[in-house]
Amino acid sequence: MSEMLSLSNDPTLFIAVMLAKILVVFIVVILIVAYATYAERKIIGHMQTRLGPTMTGPLGLLQPIADGLKLFFKEDIIPSQASKLAFILAPMMILVPAFITVAVIPFGDSITVKGYTVPLQISDLNIGVLYILAMSGLGVYGIVLAGWSSNNKYSLLGGVRSAAQMISYELAAGLAIISVFMLSGTLQLSDIVAAQSGSILNWYIFSQPLAFCLFVITSLAEVNRTPFDLPEAETELVSGFCTEYSSMKYALFFMAEYANMVVLSAITATLFLGGPAGPFPGPINLLIKVFAFMFFFIWIRATFPRVRYDQLMYLGWKVFLPLALLNIVITGAVVVF
Amino acid sequence: MELLQLIFFYVVALVTLVAGIGVISCRNPINSAISLVMTFFCLAVFYVMLHAPFMAAIQVMVYAGAIMVLIIFVMMLLNQGLVAIGKHRHALVGAGIAAALLVVQMVITVTKGQVSEPVGAITAKVVESVGHTQLIGQAMFTDFLLPFEIASILLLVAIVGAVVLAKREV
């Protein structure tokens, strides 16, 4: 086992490797985000016996680029009654937490660079899981501020709904994860992955099926996807918190939604499906699992109608929260006895 | 690489100060709240630099992620608009005296004070090897079990009180 590459033994190489890792992860996430929009339109199209985009490029493959260019050249309108600072900051405040959460996801085993060991993970934090929860907590601000600063009643309603929804479901998601680290005994994501290594039966999806289901459903609620997309319920709220947004700012909201989907898929894969474990090289296994979850998210959108707001709150507080608590009690009993 | 750490510290400190000034100088209460969130976040960064990652995560989760969201929620619903600054002269005088005292204290601490090594079993090395979360967990459930339980009972009382107050009119 060679020495771990760190800032003390080879600073230049360390910084170069870190920058390379960050750049690669960032580009991969951006690409997935761009093509997730294409995949969503294509998959939902076929599920509804349509074709989806076909005109731009072969099979419509250039559609995300065309969309991006179009939005980029649109006029950027800030409503005269809007609160400017919050209006401009909001799209960034929703996108940045989504992207920096990726920093703690392990995407493979260690590799060796010039005799040093380099873990395939941007930062192996001691508090990995807490970091994820903290960042998802910060994501609420973007939506709330976007809703408030637009000075539009539909936006405000969307923002208020979304804040209540995210706070309620964050609780259930956090409690669902607790049972995972009761088994692993650590908050460090690399250790959680290591605890699931060996056989496929060690994956926490088999020992924690209830926590897995709870986490996947609360993830849907946290990224505001159907059937929990009440913050932007277009039939009643025009477009919810992003009604007044146009041009690139609007695109940032969309990117954030898909980035959150990618990140939550990766987190679910890491916590419950052994992360980069599998038959192929690490990053490819992780990508396969992420794509499977993304497909699942899109599939759900084509299948289920939207829930009512009281049903949403009932589900969060009276079903998911007690179930998550029950799961913690059962897991605790199993761990102790 | 002491130099990198130093540069990083100064950059974060600058952002903290700018955000802190923003908290008290913004005319729009929501902008002040955003600045306050920024300050919390920078404080969390300082905790990380002081080898206390658990504190940092809790700082962001509890203060930035929960409490400030609720405060912004209330501000949004009240929507009381811009606040005029500088109308209350006695408040300004009081704040000025407090700030001056603090500056004097800081100058004395920086110039005359001595930095002592941390005492006790928990040093930076132990934190690095065992892990900050594990250490806090152990301390909380062994040595400080009673205060921990008292704190949870206090929170329970608050929750029950909130339910009673909210339900009275139904």
PDB file of all heavy atoms in Angstrom, chain B residues 73-95:
ATOM      1  N   PHE B  73     -39.285  32.713   6.251  1.00  0.00           N
ATOM      2  CA  PHE B  73     -40.685  32.364   6.036  1.00  0.00           C
ATOM      3  C   PHE B  73     -41.601  33.419   6.660  1.00  0.00           C
ATOM      4  O   PHE B  73     -42.513  33.936   6.023  1.00  0.00           O
ATOM      5  CB  PHE B  73     -40.910  31.022   6.736  1.00  0.00           C
ATOM      6  CG  PHE B  73     -41.880  30.123   6.056  1.00  0.00           C
ATOM      7  CD1 PHE B  73     -41.492  29.438   4.920  1.00  0.00           C
ATOM      8  CD2 PHE B  73     -43.141  29.943   6.562  1.00  0.00           C
ATOM      9  CE1 PHE B  73     -42.377  28.603   4.301  1.00  0.00           C
ATOM     10  CE2 PHE B  73     -44.029  29.105   5.938  1.00  0.00           C
ATOM     11  CZ  PHE B  73     -43.655  28.428   4.801  1.00  0.00           C
ATOM     12  N   VAL B  74     -41.325  33.724   7.935  1.00  0.00           N
ATOM     13  CA  VAL B  74     -42.150  34.706   8.648  1.00  0.00           C
ATOM     14  C   VAL B  74     -42.045  36.075   7.983  1.00  0.00           C
ATOM     15  O   VAL B  74     -43.038  36.762   7.749  1.00  0.00           O
ATOM     16  CB  VAL B  74     -41.713  34.779  10.125  1.00  0.00           C
ATOM     17  CG1 VAL B  74     -42.430  35.916  10.829  1.00  0.00           C
ATOM     18  CG2 VAL B  74     -42.005  33.468  10.819  1.00  0.00           C
ATOM     19  N   MET B  75     -40.810  36.475   7.616  1.00  0.00           N
ATOM     20  CA  MET B  75     -40.609  37.782   6.969  1.00  0.00           C
ATOM     21  C   MET B  75     -41.373  37.862   5.665  1.00  0.00           C
ATOM     22  O   MET B  75     -41.992  38.876   5.344  1.00  0.00           O
ATOM     23  CB  MET B  75     -39.130  37.975   6.664  1.00  0.00           C
ATOM     24  CG  MET B  75     -38.298  38.375   7.829  1.00  0.00           C
ATOM     25  SD  MET B  75     -36.656  38.594   7.166  1.00  0.00           S
ATOM     26  CE  MET B  75     -35.743  38.701   8.636  1.00  0.00           C
ATOM     27  N   MET B  76     -41.329  36.757   4.889  1.00  0.00           N
ATOM     28  CA  MET B  76     -42.019  36.728   3.613  1.00  0.00           C
ATOM     29  C   MET B  76     -43.507  36.957   3.807  1.00  0.00           C
ATOM     30  O   MET B  76     -44.141  37.702   3.073  1.00  0.00           O
ATOM     31  CB  MET B  76     -41.835  35.353   2.962  1.00  0.00           C
ATOM     32  CG  MET B  76     -40.690  35.245   2.034  1.00  0.00           C
ATOM     33  SD  MET B  76     -40.360  33.525   1.651  1.00  0.00           S
ATOM     34  CE  MET B  76     -41.923  32.979   1.056  1.00  0.00           C
ATOM     35  N   LEU B  77     -44.076  36.291   4.821  1.00  0.00           N
ATOM     36  CA  LEU B  77     -45.518  36.373   4.995  1.00  0.00           C
ATOM     37  C   LEU B  77     -45.935  37.728   5.562  1.00  0.00           C
ATOM     38  O   LEU B  77     -46.993  38.238   5.230  1.00  0.00           O
ATOM     39  CB  LEU B  77     -45.998  35.230   5.892  1.00  0.00           C
ATOM     40  CG  LEU B  77     -45.793  33.864   5.243  1.00  0.00           C
ATOM     41  CD1 LEU B  77     -46.267  32.753   6.140  1.00  0.00           C
ATOM     42  CD2 LEU B  77     -46.519  33.777   3.912  1.00  0.00           C
ATOM     43  N   LEU B  78     -45.071  38.315   6.411  1.00  0.00           N
ATOM     44  CA  LEU B  78     -45.413  39.639   6.938  1.00  0.00           C
ATOM     45  C   LEU B  78     -45.169  40.713   5.894  1.00  0.00           C
ATOM     46  O   LEU B  78     -45.949  41.637   5.740  1.00  0.00           O
ATOM     47  CB  LEU B  78     -44.590  39.940   8.191  1.00  0.00           C
ATOM     48  CG  LEU B  78     -44.931  39.088   9.403  1.00  0.00           C
ATOM     49  CD1 LEU B  78     -44.050  39.478  10.566  1.00  0.00           C
ATOM     50  CD2 LEU B  78     -46.389  39.256   9.783  1.00  0.00           C
ATOM     51  N   ASN B  79     -44.045  40.573   5.165  1.00  0.00           N
ATOM     52  CA  ASN B  79     -43.693  41.472   4.060  1.00  0.00           C
ATOM     53  C   ASN B  79     -43.813  42.940   4.458  1.00  0.00           C
ATOM     54  O   ASN B  79     -44.591  43.692   3.885  1.00  0.00           O
ATOM     55  CB  ASN B  79     -44.591  41.188   2.851  1.00  0.00           C
ATOM     56  CG  ASN B  79     -43.883  41.574   1.565  1.00  0.00           C
ATOM     57  OD1 ASN B  79     -42.715  41.960   1.602  1.00  0.00           O
ATOM     58  ND2 ASN B  79     -44.568  41.453   0.457  1.00  0.00           N
ATOM     59  N   GLN B  80     -43.048  43.353   5.476  1.00  0.00           N
ATOM     60  CA  GLN B  80     -43.227  44.701   5.992  1.00  0.00           C
ATOM     61  C   GLN B  80     -42.414  45.750   5.228  1.00  0.00           C
ATOM     62  O   GLN B  80     -42.468  46.923   5.563  1.00  0.00           O
ATOM     63  CB  GLN B  80     -42.901  44.756   7.472  1.00  0.00           C
ATOM     64  CG  GLN B  80     -41.545  44.179   7.797  1.00  0.00           C
ATOM     65  CD  GLN B  80     -41.190  44.325   9.232  1.00  0.00           C
ATOM     66  OE1 GLN B  80     -40.047  44.427   9.537  1.00  0.00           O
ATOM     67  NE2 GLN B  80     -42.167  44.343  10.117  1.00  0.00           N
ATOM     68  N   GLY B  81     -41.682  45.345   4.220  1.00  0.00           N
ATOM     69  CA  GLY B  81     -41.025  46.313   3.361  1.00  0.00           C
ATOM     70  C   GLY B  81     -39.724  46.858   3.925  1.00  0.00           C
ATOM     71  O   GLY B  81     -39.118  46.261   4.799  1.00  0.00           O
ATOM     72  N   LEU B  82     -39.309  48.014   3.405  1.00  0.00           N
ATOM     73  CA  LEU B  82     -38.006  48.549   3.765  1.00  0.00           C
ATOM     74  C   LEU B  82     -38.025  49.152   5.161  1.00  0.00           C
ATOM     75  O   LEU B  82     -39.035  49.671   5.624  1.00  0.00           O
ATOM     76  CB  LEU B  82     -37.593  49.627   2.763  1.00  0.00           C
ATOM     77  CG  LEU B  82     -37.531  49.166   1.314  1.00  0.00           C
ATOM     78  CD1 LEU B  82     -37.070  50.295   0.428  1.00  0.00           C
ATOM     79  CD2 LEU B  82     -36.618  47.978   1.168  1.00  0.00           C
ATOM     80  N   VAL B  83     -36.876  49.103   5.825  1.00  0.00           N
ATOM     81  CA  VAL B  83     -36.753  49.650   7.166  1.00  0.00           C
ATOM     82  C   VAL B  83     -35.840  50.859   7.092  1.00  0.00           C
ATOM     83  O   VAL B  83     -34.781  50.812   6.482  1.00  0.00           O
ATOM     84  CB  VAL B  83     -36.137  48.604   8.123  1.00  0.00           C
ATOM     85  CG1 VAL B  83     -36.008  49.187   9.511  1.00  0.00           C
ATOM     86  CG2 VAL B  83     -36.983  47.359   8.145  1.00  0.00           C
ATOM     87  N   ALA B  84     -36.282  51.964   7.691  1.00  0.00           N
ATOM     88  CA  ALA B  84     -35.440  53.157   7.683  1.00  0.00           C
ATOM     89  C   ALA B  84     -34.347  53.017   8.740  1.00  0.00           C
ATOM     90  O   ALA B  84     -34.621  52.626   9.875  1.00  0.00           O
ATOM     91  CB  ALA B  84     -36.294  54.379   7.967  1.00  0.00           C
ATOM     92  N   ILE B  85     -33.115  53.303   8.344  1.00  0.00           N
ATOM     93  CA  ILE B  85     -31.994  53.188   9.279  1.00  0.00           C
ATOM     94  C   ILE B  85     -31.649  54.577   9.796  1.00  0.00           C
ATOM     95  O   ILE B  85     -31.751  55.565   9.068  1.00  0.00           O
ATOM     96  CB  ILE B  85     -30.775  52.566   8.589  1.00  0.00           C
ATOM     97  CG1 ILE B  85     -31.140  51.152   8.116  1.00  0.00           C
ATOM     98  CG2 ILE B  85     -29.579  52.487   9.512  1.00  0.00           C
ATOM     99  CD1 ILE B  85     -30.041  50.490   7.350  1.00  0.00           C
ATOM    100  N   GLY B  86     -31.238  54.672  11.028  1.00  0.00           N
ATOM    101  CA  GLY B  86     -30.711  55.929  11.538  1.00  0.00           C
ATOM    102  C   GLY B  86     -31.735  56.810  12.224  1.00  0.00           C
ATOM    103  O   GLY B  86     -31.435  57.939  12.570  1.00  0.00           O
ATOM    104  N   LYS B  87     -32.946  56.303  12.431  1.00  0.00           N
ATOM    105  CA  LYS B  87     -33.954  57.107  13.101  1.00  0.00           C
ATOM    106  C   LYS B  87     -33.776  57.095  14.624  1.00  0.00           C
ATOM    107  O   LYS B  87     -34.095  58.035  15.304  1.00  0.00           O
ATOM    108  CB  LYS B  87     -35.342  56.575  12.751  1.00  0.00           C
ATOM    109  CG  LYS B  87     -35.746  56.896  11.318  1.00  0.00           C
ATOM    110  CD  LYS B  87     -36.867  57.910  11.274  1.00  0.00           C
ATOM    111  CE  LYS B  87     -37.137  58.379   9.882  1.00  0.00           C
ATOM    112  NZ  LYS B  87     -38.158  57.587   9.227  1.00  0.00           N
ATOM    113  N   HIS B  88     -33.268  55.962  15.127  1.00  0.00           N
ATOM    114  CA  HIS B  88     -33.208  55.794  16.580  1.00  0.00           C
ATOM    115  C   HIS B  88     -31.807  56.156  17.062  1.00  0.00           C
ATOM    116  O   HIS B  88     -30.895  55.343  17.006  1.00  0.00           O
ATOM    117  CB  HIS B  88     -33.540  54.354  16.969  1.00  0.00           C
ATOM    118  CG  HIS B  88     -34.760  53.850  16.280  1.00  0.00           C
ATOM    119  ND1 HIS B  88     -36.024  54.257  16.611  1.00  0.00           N
ATOM    120  CD2 HIS B  88     -34.903  52.986  15.245  1.00  0.00           C
ATOM    121  CE1 HIS B  88     -36.899  53.668  15.828  1.00  0.00           C
ATOM    122  NE2 HIS B  88     -36.247  52.888  14.983  1.00  0.00           N
ATOM    123  N   ARG B  89     -31.646  57.388  17.553  1.00  0.00           N
ATOM    124  CA  ARG B  89     -30.313  57.848  17.896  1.00  0.00           C
ATOM    125  C   ARG B  89     -29.769  57.110  19.114  1.00  0.00           C
ATOM    126  O   ARG B  89     -28.605  56.739  19.148  1.00  0.00           O
ATOM    127  CB  ARG B  89     -30.326  59.358  18.133  1.00  0.00           C
ATOM    128  CG  ARG B  89     -28.942  59.924  18.240  1.00  0.00           C
ATOM    129  CD  ARG B  89     -28.868  61.328  17.736  1.00  0.00           C
ATOM    130  NE  ARG B  89     -29.151  61.438  16.315  1.00  0.00           N
ATOM    131  CZ  ARG B  89     -29.423  62.587  15.712  1.00  0.00           C
ATOM    132  NH1 ARG B  89     -29.461  63.698  16.398  1.00  0.00           N
ATOM    133  NH2 ARG B  89     -29.666  62.646  14.428  1.00  0.00           N
ATOM    134  N   HIS B  90     -30.626  56.857  20.139  1.00  0.00           N
ATOM    135  CA  HIS B  90     -30.104  56.200  21.347  1.00  0.00           C
ATOM    136  C   HIS B  90     -29.598  54.793  21.025  1.00  0.00           C
ATOM    137  O   HIS B  90     -28.609  54.339  21.571  1.00  0.00           O
ATOM    138  CB  HIS B  90     -31.187  56.160  22.431  1.00  0.00           C
ATOM    139  CG  HIS B  90     -32.454  55.499  22.007  1.00  0.00           C
ATOM    140  ND1 HIS B  90     -33.393  56.144  21.242  1.00  0.00           N
ATOM    141  CD2 HIS B  90     -32.917  54.253  22.225  1.00  0.00           C
ATOM    142  CE1 HIS B  90     -34.405  55.333  21.016  1.00  0.00           C
ATOM    143  NE2 HIS B  90     -34.141  54.174  21.602  1.00  0.00           N
ATOM    144  N   ALA B  91     -30.255  54.117  20.082  1.00  0.00           N
ATOM    145  CA  ALA B  91     -29.805  52.779  19.696  1.00  0.00           C
ATOM    146  C   ALA B  91     -28.418  52.861  19.065  1.00  0.00           C
ATOM    147  O   ALA B  91     -27.529  52.061  19.346  1.00  0.00           O
ATOM    148  CB  ALA B  91     -30.794  52.143  18.730  1.00  0.00           C
ATOM    149  N   LEU B  92     -28.230  53.886  18.212  1.00  0.00           N
ATOM    150  CA  LEU B  92     -26.931  54.060  17.558  1.00  0.00           C
ATOM    151  C   LEU B  92     -25.832  54.304  18.593  1.00  0.00           C
ATOM    152  O   LEU B  92     -24.751  53.716  18.519  1.00  0.00           O
ATOM    153  CB  LEU B  92     -26.988  55.249  16.601  1.00  0.00           C
ATOM    154  CG  LEU B  92     -27.436  54.945  15.177  1.00  0.00           C
ATOM    155  CD1 LEU B  92     -27.435  56.216  14.353  1.00  0.00           C
ATOM    156  CD2 LEU B  92     -26.516  53.902  14.555  1.00  0.00           C
ATOM    157  N   VAL B  93     -26.149  55.179  19.591  1.00  0.00           N
ATOM    158  CA  VAL B  93     -25.145  55.483  20.616  1.00  0.00           C
ATOM    159  C   VAL B  93     -24.791  54.217  21.398  1.00  0.00           C
ATOM    160  O   VAL B  93     -23.620  53.900  21.608  1.00  0.00           O
ATOM    161  CB  VAL B  93     -25.676  56.586  21.570  1.00  0.00           C
ATOM    162  CG1 VAL B  93     -24.738  56.756  22.752  1.00  0.00           C
ATOM    163  CG2 VAL B  93     -25.820  57.894  20.820  1.00  0.00           C
ATOM    164  N   GLY B  94     -25.845  53.442  21.796  1.00  0.00           N
ATOM    165  CA  GLY B  94     -25.604  52.214  22.542  1.00  0.00           C
ATOM    166  C   GLY B  94     -24.744  51.246  21.758  1.00  0.00           C
ATOM    167  O   GLY B  94     -23.754  50.700  22.276  1.00  0.00           O
ATOM    168  N   ALA B  95     -25.087  51.061  20.472  1.00  0.00           N
ATOM    169  CA  ALA B  95     -24.331  50.131  19.635  1.00  0.00           C
ATOM    170  C   ALA B  95     -22.896  50.606  19.494  1.00  0.00           C
ATOM    171  O   ALA B  95     -21.951  49.811  19.542  1.00  0.00           O
ATOM    172  CB  ALA B  95     -24.997  50.009  18.271  1.00  0.00           C
TER     173      ALA B  95
END
